[in-house]
Amino acid sequence: MAVKRENSKAVRRILAAGAGLATVGALVAAMPAGAAQDVDAAGGGTNGKGWGRMVDVQLLSFNDLHGNLEPPAGSSGQVTRLNADGTTTKVDAGGVEYLATHLREARKGNRYSITAAAGDMIGASPMLSGLFHDEPTIGALNGLGLDVSSVGNHEFDEGSAELARMQNGGCHPTAGCYVPGEKFRGADFPYLAANVTKESTGKPVLDPTFVWEKDGVRIGFIGVTLEGTPNVVTAEGVKGLKFGDEVETINKYAKVLERKGVKSIVALVHEGGLPASSSYNYDCDSPGPGDGVSGAIVEIAKNVSPQVDAMVTGHTHQAYACTIPDPAGKPRLVTSASSFGKLFTDTTLTYDRATKDIVRAAVATSNKVVTRDVPKAADMTKLIGDWQALAAPIANRPQGWIAGDINGRGSTAYEKPLGDVIADAQLEGLAPADKGGAQLAFMNPGGIRADLVHKASGAEGDGVVTYGEAFTVQPFTNMMNVVDLTGANVIATLKQQVSGANAASPRILQISKGLTYTLDMTKAGADRVVESSIRLNGEPIDPSKTYRVAMNEFLAGGGDGFPALATGTNKLVGASDLDVFNAYLAANSSAANPLPVPAANRITVIQ
């Protein structure tokens, strides 16, 4: 949705005449219901020309790029547009060649323009970036003109030392320098990590704040990731780190910025919400401010200090631009721009030089689609081409064949077709006695990062799955584990999908063939898993029996809110998840007999 900018001339006249904010407040109070957040108070309009006291500052923002330099394939590369007649249209979007063009075009005529991001710029990346420890993405972000970003949970996938290298530069400690004679220079922009501290010192691992300044206009930024980062990252990735409460941290540093004379503040928060509609232009301020969005960000926004003027968020990969009331009851902008570079948010912050603060009633915003009908940015095309040349010998190698699209990330169902394939691959790879003797396998849905798309992405031919495409689906290189679990803990694991940490937002594990059960969503909490329905190869799970269970090391550590999985014993560490996946594709498909699209019927869902 776009926050409208009507009534701006009236406010502009008052401020131009030297009236104070109390007068503006009176004007806003006299407007029709809902108009307060729609006002664009005095300032140079969208041309960004400061004409005295009021200055328009453009804030361009995005989140959750995840190293998607090339246009994402299939449903991962589409956004949904809500049309005036109530119908929806899928629009192809994304790719940094197009994102660069859109951002550069948006900046034209805006003297004061800032570009910010809300985390997960790197990590869980397609092969073109992931194979090179995300150096290509940092280079692209430098070229895009990113001014500042918060960290997200995926910035910690390879640990804090690697994150420091992303910030400061230097060649990889084991892989070395990828371009002969050229040292990786690191990020030109600051990564902010206000709520991530070292356990040994209590100090932030990176800068907590950043102040953007031009011609005396000062905008402060505070960057945080979700407090629950340790629950969604491997233990090794967050070793030695402490993650603080988002609200407490933002409020603390808002006071720090105020003491430094910075009164205009934007929080970059890698935590997000869930809009009622998947359409990027859905009005989430209907029927009232913020009513159309739910999730963790709502409580955060309601409790963050009114000193903060706007919040750029992420993590949930959703699109919204809402005005959620702050603790003083005043509407405050909260945005998110989907993921993978498919959208960016264009916000106008009207800055009052006299008060050094943002005129909240004048904030205007909308999410913009990164369409692919614009010219490609030549510098991004060159950057991609240079890294493609290095990756090509590995990326283009065929791994298997598929009969149709096998959706993972693009599936909205609890049981995803690609989830079945991955779980089956893990079971098959770890079932031999010398590989662990697995009898069933669990796969976390968040670890499935893309779809397998039947249409060729290059010259490989339709239906061919390349190493690069498989890498995009399974980019973490998590090592596989096989552990002993009692039947009682297998049952507890299934119940933890819909209870405990996952009660509000269920995380339904993908399961291997032979395991079946019923999920009754008309019930509440753990009762949603019908215990009497749980079967393995047709037999009820025996609570007292021991089963050999395969899973990646993230789940084996209790990640994603599954403490029952961390009780496993007699652990055997196997090959990586990617190696197991590729081996399965090679063994179970051919050009003549491609892998069929699974029926995804292992979980019976009652709605």
Side-chain angles (χ1 to χ4, degrees):
M1 55 79 74
V3 178
K4 299 177 184 177
R5 309 182 62 197
E6 299 166 356
N7 305 300
S8 61
K9 291 182 180 179
V11 180
R12 189 185 305 279
R13 285 195 299 270
I14 290 174
L15 287 173
L21 292 181
T23 305
V24 177
L27 173 66
V28 171
M31 289 178 180
Q37 67 266 29
D38 295 342
V39 176
D40 174 18
T46 55
N47 64 13
K49 296 177 181 178
W51 53 268
R53 174 172 169 176
M54 311 308 294
V55 176
D56 277 1
V57 178
Q58 180 188 58
L59 175 63
L60 303 176
S61 58
F62 55 98
N63 52 276
D64 295 274
L65 180 64
H66 289 290
N68 279 266
L69 304 182
E70 299 171 287
S75 60
S76 294
Q78 293 180 325
V79 294
T80 302
R81 181 178 64 226
L82 179 64
N83 302 317
D85 62 0
T87 62
T88 59
T89 302
K90 295 288 187 180
V91 181
D92 291 338
V96 295
E97 295 162 293
Y98 304 108
L99 177 59
T101 298
H102 280 280
L103 291 176
R104 290 164 187 172
E105 185 63 30
R107 292 180 187 126
K108 288 181 179 179
N110 288 279
R111 181 175 180 177
Y112 303 94
S113 184
I114 313 168
T115 303
D120 276 8
M121 295 295 97
I122 58 175
S125 304
M127 181 179 169
L128 184 63
S129 186
L131 187 64
F132 304 105
H133 297 277
D134 280 316
E135 289 183 20
T137 295
I138 296 297
L141 293 171
N142 289 342
L144 289 174
L146 184 62
D147 290 299
V148 60
S149 178
S150 69
V151 294
N153 54 287
H154 282 288
E155 264 79 18
F156 293 93
D157 282 349
E158 296 190 51
S160 58
E162 177 64 1
L163 175 56
R165 188 179 77 89
M166 292 291 99
Q167 178 70 86
N168 302 317
C171 296
H172 192 271
T174 57
C177 297
Y178 294 113
V179 180
E182 190 173 306
K183 181 181 177 182
F184 173 58
R185 79 185 197 198
D188 292 345
F189 56 92
Y191 259 124
L192 305 183
N195 68 329
V196 188
T197 55
K198 296 180 181 179
E199 290 181 344
S200 58
T201 65
K203 296 181 178 179
V205 294
L206 293 170
D207 290 340
T209 64
F210 167 74
V211 178
W212 180 93
E213 185 171 3
K214 183 175 181 179
D215 299 339
V217 175
R218 304 177 77 199
I219 310 289
F221 290 86
I222 304 167
V224 299
T225 185
L226 68 153
E227 183 181 11
T229 290
N231 298 325
V232 292
V233 175
T234 60
E236 189 64 27
V238 295
K239 186 177 181 179
L241 303 177
K242 183 178 180 181
F243 292 78
D245 180 83
E246 303 94 337
V247 172
E248 291 178 5
T249 303
I250 294 170
N251 290 348
K252 169 186 174 180
Y253 283 103
K255 292 178 182 178
V256 170
L257 288 171
E258 285 267 9
R259 287 197 295 268
K260 293 180 178 179
V262 179
K263 296 184 178 180
S264 296
I265 302 172
V266 176
L268 306 175
V269 187
H270 191 71
E271 179 59 287
L274 301 169
S277 168
S278 61
S279 299
Y280 73 86
N281 56 338
Y282 164 72
D283 183 1
C284 60
D285 280 341
S286 177
D291 285 346
V293 67
S294 60
I297 199 60
V298 176
E299 285 306 306
I300 292 174
K302 287 180 177 178
N303 288 283
V304 162
S305 167
Q307 292 171 291
V308 174
D309 297 295
M311 300 175 67
V312 176
T313 72
H315 188 56
T316 57
H317 292 203
Q318 301 298 310
Y320 47 85
C322 305
T323 50
I324 299 174
D326 67 16
K330 186 178 179 183
R332 173 171 52 200
L333 183 68
V334 181
T335 70
S336 177
S338 185
S339 63
F340 300 171
K342 295 179 289 189
L343 299 175
F344 69 94
T345 311
D346 190 342
T347 301
T348 299
L349 303 171
T350 298
Y351 181 92
D352 186 338
R353 288 184 180 274
T355 65
K356 300 180 181 179
D357 208 348
I358 300 300
V359 180
R360 192 84 72 81
V363 171
T365 193
S366 64
N367 276 322
K368 308 288 188 181
V369 182
V370 178
T371 60
R372 300 175 189 169
D373 57 357
V374 298
K376 297 179 180 180
D379 58 331
M380 292 295 134
T381 300
K382 182 180 186 307
L383 180 144
I384 290 172
D386 289 346
W387 288 106
Q388 283 175 333
L390 289 176
I394 300 173
N396 297 332
R397 189 170 68 219
Q399 294 298 132
W401 289 261
I402 55 175
D405 289 354
I406 304 180
N407 288 336
R409 198 74 180 181
S411 171
T412 58
Y414 288 129
E415 181 183 352
K416 306 175 189 306
L418 189 49
D420 285 0
V421 173
I422 293 172
D424 286 353
Q426 295 177 353
L427 176 61
E428 182 173 301
L430 299 163
D434 63 338
K435 303 294 185 183
Q439 297 166 276
L440 65 148
F442 289 128
M443 174 62 196
N444 55 307
I448 307 170
R449 304 306 298 185
D451 305 326
L452 285 182
V453 179
H454 187 265
K455 184 178 180 179
S457 59
E460 75 274 11
D462 290 349
V464 178
V465 179
T466 65
Y467 183 91
E469 291 165 341
F471 187 102
T472 298
V473 169
Q474 293 268 265
F476 296 107
T477 318
N478 272 318
M479 303 310 293
M480 292 303 303
N481 289 187
V482 185
V483 300
D484 285 347
L485 282 178
T486 65
N489 277 326
V490 171
I491 294 168
T493 294
L494 294 175
K495 291 188 173 185
Q496 285 166 3
Q497 299 175 114
V498 289
S499 62
N502 297 323
S505 186
R507 281 193 175 97
I508 305 304
L509 295 167
Q510 308 301 287
I511 55 178
S512 54
K513 61 183 179 182
L515 182 61
T516 58
Y517 70 96
T518 296
L519 188 64
D520 187 349
M521 298 306 289
T522 66
K523 297 181 179 179
D527 289 341
R528 288 174 166 177
V529 173
V530 181
E531 185 172 338
S532 62
S533 71
I534 303 172
R535 298 282 191 278
L536 180 60
N537 300 321
E539 297 293 325
I541 290 286
D542 184 345
S544 63
K545 185 177 178 180
T546 297
Y547 296 86
R548 294 290 285 167
V549 183
M551 67 197 83
N552 60 45
E553 60 185 319
F554 169 66
L555 280 180
D560 266 356
F562 292 99
L565 294 179
T567 66
T569 59
N570 193 23
K571 180 171 70 175
L572 183 146
V573 178
S576 74
D577 52 5
L578 178 60
D579 287 344
V580 167
F581 184 45
N582 280 329
Y584 181 83
L585 291 172
N588 292 276
S589 68
S590 67
N593 294 291
L595 192 72
V597 179
N601 57 3
R602 297 166 188 178
I603 304 173
T604 300
V605 180
I606 300 173
Q607 298 281 14

